[in-house]
Amino acid sequence: MTATAVEAVPSPRPWLTTTDHKRIAVLTAGTALVLLFVMGALALTMRAQLARPDQSLVDNDTYNQLFTMHGSGMIYLVVTPIALAMGLYLVPLQVGSPTVAAPRTTMLGYWLYVLGALAVLSGFLTAGGAAKEGWTAYTPLSSAQFSPGVGTDLWIAGNFASSLGMILIGGTVLWTALLKRAPGMTMLRLPVFTWSMVATNLMVLAAFPSLLIALGLLALGRMSPQVFSDNIFNIGYQHLFWFYGHPVVYVMFFPFLGAVAEVLATFAGRRFFGYRATVLSLLAFAALSMSVWGHHLFTTGQAANDYYSLTSIMLLVPAGIEYFSMLATVVGAKLRFAVPMLFALAFITQFLIGGLTGIMVATPSLDYQMHDSYFVVAHFHYTLFAGSLFGLFAGFYFWFPKVTGAMLGTALGHVHFWLLLVGTNLTFVPMFFLGLDGMPRRVATYLPQDGFGTLNLLSSIGSWIVGLGMVAFAVNIVVSLARRRGRAAPDDPWNAHTLEWATSSPPPPLNFDAAHPLPPVRSFAPLLDLRHDRAEGRRTREPA
């Protein structure tokens, strides 16, 4: 290779040492997307094993590693990081800040996340394999006595590091939204997405330290097994874990709710309905989320069932406000059914299924029947896959031209959407009935006489359709980036409402510059205000 050719190869150093919040966000989201395909491959392997009774594609030990790494990987390493990455990229732009607060701390958060992910995945390379006690790692099952080997130790260390990284990123994004806003950007002029990130990061700072303490207790118990001989530490671990484990569900939901709100308002061509009520509902939802963790412990007899059932059902009130606001935004509007809008509309209906079934498992008398059955698996995946990931893809198609300067292909976008919509529902609807029929979760096989074969086959076929949809998504990204030079995206291809669309695509290092100055801010939809002003100005001048 000639010296000229060597000089032409871009150095990765500017990315690896960057303090630009946009680059850090792209690194975080890109890492999470790669891990999404890894965790998806684990899920497809499990569904292949369960497609028919008495199969032996993988043994019990391997299957336990698969569902542990899939579940924990999706939560710790995929959905939570990509949710916070969206906020890291967009919040400084939406509030008119040139940078994120404490950018070096933010970059440290990314590197902790990467090192944590590598530690968790390296468990597969050890003699005893990866962690295999489930994403909750309940004690004493996860103690050294019952789960020997370094796979679990690496899992603990890796998830500790990645979660600490998420705390750092969440803290700097919250700091930016609260204290680094542009002139005129009052708190009640923050876009809905930014408010969703404020609520999200309040939960991150309040709940994630509980996970660090729980993981520390788990590490202590693996070094001193007698710790878990007293049941108070086993139940104590569960309380610590679920004090994190339930708010993290909303950490993986609120950013995508905010993204869907922006998409709905843009493609309905109107302001988001019920802005102030939605802001209050997000804050109330975040506060209530800290009081519902005990409904995961109904069957232990170690939780106040009536209290936790009441607080869980109370979540219907702020959730109802948010759903009503989304529906009122689109009802009666002249909608544009672009790909982001399709994902946003599907998010509304599918997350509703997850929410309503969540009320069912938050009712003790029903939870006793459904606990640890496939009904819970279906419910959880309707919130995090059929709900949150559809919200993610709505935001991904919406903001991709802003981040990259390229438009994602519409035809492949439709293929991705319809395959994902069909595959998701074919995968998870049968799981509700499997749970009601008595199929327990976390089993590697079942007998023909159990009667679970047909529904499991349908579920597995659905998962493979989802896989095809994700292939279409990956191809769309590659093809769109390859064509970027010839098909550059405009600064605002959607006629959107918030400040990030007033700058170039992609934005300059400090977000706004002389060619793209920061516009005035008079509401939570400043670009919509500008378009209305121009329209009024034309009407005023025309009679003269």
Side-chain angles (χ1 to χ4, degrees):
M1 183 178 290
T2 65
T4 305
V6 172
E7 292 174 0
V9 176
S11 170
R13 184 175 178 181
W15 281 85
L16 300 181
T17 60
T18 185
T19 55
D20 184 343
H21 71 94
K22 299 180 291 298
R23 286 190 168 188
I24 302 171
V26 169
L27 287 171
T28 305
T31 304
L33 280 174
V34 170
L35 291 171
L36 171 62
F37 282 89
V38 172
M39 301 308 162
L42 301 184
L44 291 179
T45 305
M46 287 188 286
R47 286 315 317 169
Q49 166 67 15
L50 293 170
R52 301 301 301 162
D54 271 345
Q55 292 213 108
S56 55
L57 297 177
V58 296
D59 57 26
N60 284 338
D61 187 73
T62 302
Y63 187 86
N64 291 342
Q65 294 177 50
L66 292 175
F67 77 71
T68 297
M69 298 297 284
H70 168 74
S72 59
M74 288 296 290
I75 291 168
Y76 298 128
L77 305 179
V78 175
V79 185
T80 298
I82 206 168
L84 297 185
M86 287 179 66
L88 175 58
Y89 193 99
L90 293 168
V91 166
L93 285 161
Q94 289 197 336
V95 303
S97 173
T99 63
V100 70
R104 288 180 176 82
T105 302
T106 310
M107 190 57 173
L108 174 61
Y110 169 71
W111 282 114
L112 285 170
Y113 161 54
V114 171
L115 293 174
L118 291 174
V120 170
L121 293 173
S122 65
F124 282 116
L125 304 178
T126 63
K132 61 193 72 173
E133 53 277 329
W135 81 280
T136 58
Y138 278 169
T139 61
L141 175 62
S142 54
S143 67
Q145 178 183 359
F146 299 106
S147 296
V150 298
T152 299
D153 299 325
L154 289 167
W155 184 90
I156 294 170
N159 287 323
F160 189 99
S162 63
S163 298
L164 179 59
M166 293 303 104
I167 291 174
L168 296 180
I169 292 174
T172 59
V173 172
L174 180 62
W175 183 356
T176 304
L178 297 181
L179 298 177
K180 292 180 71 67
R181 304 187 305 275
M185 181 62 74
T186 64
M187 290 299 290
L188 284 178
R189 291 176 182 172
L190 294 179
V192 177
F193 176 80
T194 294
W195 266 115
S196 74
M197 291 307 306
V198 169
T200 294
N201 290 314
L202 287 172
M203 290 186 291
V204 167
L205 296 183
F208 279 35
S210 178
L211 175 66
L212 303 186
I213 297 171
L215 291 173
L217 178 62
L218 185 55
L220 175 63
R222 288 183 64 80
M223 292 184 288
S224 304
Q226 67 273 13
V227 168
F228 296 121
S229 61
D230 192 333
N231 200 46
I232 188 172
F233 289 103
N234 297 314
I235 294 299
Y237 171 83
Q238 290 194 37
H239 278 284
L240 285 169
F241 178 84
W242 285 115
F243 188 78
Y244 153 85
H246 204 88
V248 77
V249 173
Y250 304 120
V251 169
M252 296 184 287
F253 163 56
F254 277 9
F256 307 126
L257 172 70
V260 166
E262 302 287 0
V263 170
L264 293 176
T266 296
F267 291 100
R270 56 169 62 163
R271 296 178 192 276
F272 188 77
F273 183 89
Y275 169 79
R276 294 196 175 200
T278 300
V279 168
L280 290 174
S281 72
L282 286 169
L283 295 175
F285 211 137
L288 275 173
S289 76
M290 309 299 294
S291 66
V292 303
W293 79 91
H295 73 229
H296 295 276
L297 282 76
F298 282 158
T299 59
T300 66
Q302 303 294 316
N305 288 8
D306 290 345
Y307 168 78
Y308 289 114
S309 180
L310 174 63
T311 55
S312 300
I313 293 173
M314 285 174 63
L315 290 172
L316 278 173
V317 177
I321 292 172
E322 292 154 15
Y323 274 101
F324 177 80
S325 296
M326 289 189 289
L327 291 174
T329 300
V330 298
V331 170
K334 187 177 180 180
L335 305 180
R336 292 178 288 151
F337 291 100
V339 175
M341 188 63 160
L342 295 177
F343 278 103
L345 294 173
F347 166 89
I348 295 175
T349 55
Q350 295 190 139
F351 198 93
L352 183 61
I353 297 173
L356 293 177
T357 54
I359 297 301
M360 296 173 68
V361 297
T363 304
S365 57
L366 296 175
D367 185 65
Y368 291 151
Q369 171 68 25
M370 300 169 184
H371 185 74
D372 273 345
S373 76
Y374 255 80
F375 190 95
V376 177
V377 179
H379 152 68
F380 196 60
H381 283 83
Y382 259 100
T383 58
L384 290 187
F385 195 99
S388 291
L389 280 184
F390 272 73
L392 163 65
F393 289 128
F396 195 94
Y397 280 85
F398 185 58
W399 280 299
F400 187 83
K402 178 56 58 180
V403 174
T404 66
M407 300 292 292
L408 281 168
T410 300
L412 279 172
H414 280 97
V415 171
H416 175 208
F417 171 76
W418 289 110
L419 285 175
L420 211 64
L421 183 68
V422 173
T424 296
N425 289 284
L426 185 57
T427 301
F428 300 120
V429 167
M431 292 184 184
F432 284 120
F433 296 98
L434 285 169
L436 294 174
D437 287 344
M439 182 173 177
R441 63 195 297 194
R442 307 187 183 108
V443 293
T445 189
Y446 51 92
L447 299 174
Q449 57 265 34
D450 291 334
F452 302 145
T454 301
L455 290 175
N456 268 302
L457 180 59
L458 288 173
S459 184
S460 295
I461 292 171
S463 72
W464 301 329
I465 295 173
V466 169
L468 289 175
M470 293 303 294
V471 170
F473 172 61
V475 171
N476 201 355
I477 293 175
V478 172
V479 171
S480 298
L481 291 177
R483 294 178 177 175
R484 174 170 48 186
R485 291 184 179 179
R487 298 172 56 184
D491 293 343
D492 182 9
W494 311 119
N495 286 329
H497 299 172
T498 47
L499 289 181
E500 73 270 23
W501 300 102
T503 189
S504 60
S505 298
L510 295 179
N511 294 339
F512 299 91
D513 54 22
H516 298 86
L518 190 68
V521 179
R522 298 195 304 274
S523 76
F524 66 91
L527 298 195
L528 188 63
D529 294 338
L530 286 178
R531 282 194 288 273
H532 286 174
D533 289 347
R534 294 189 189 110
E536 290 294 328
R538 285 195 297 272
R539 283 198 291 269
T540 301
R541 289 192 298 269
E542 281 172 359

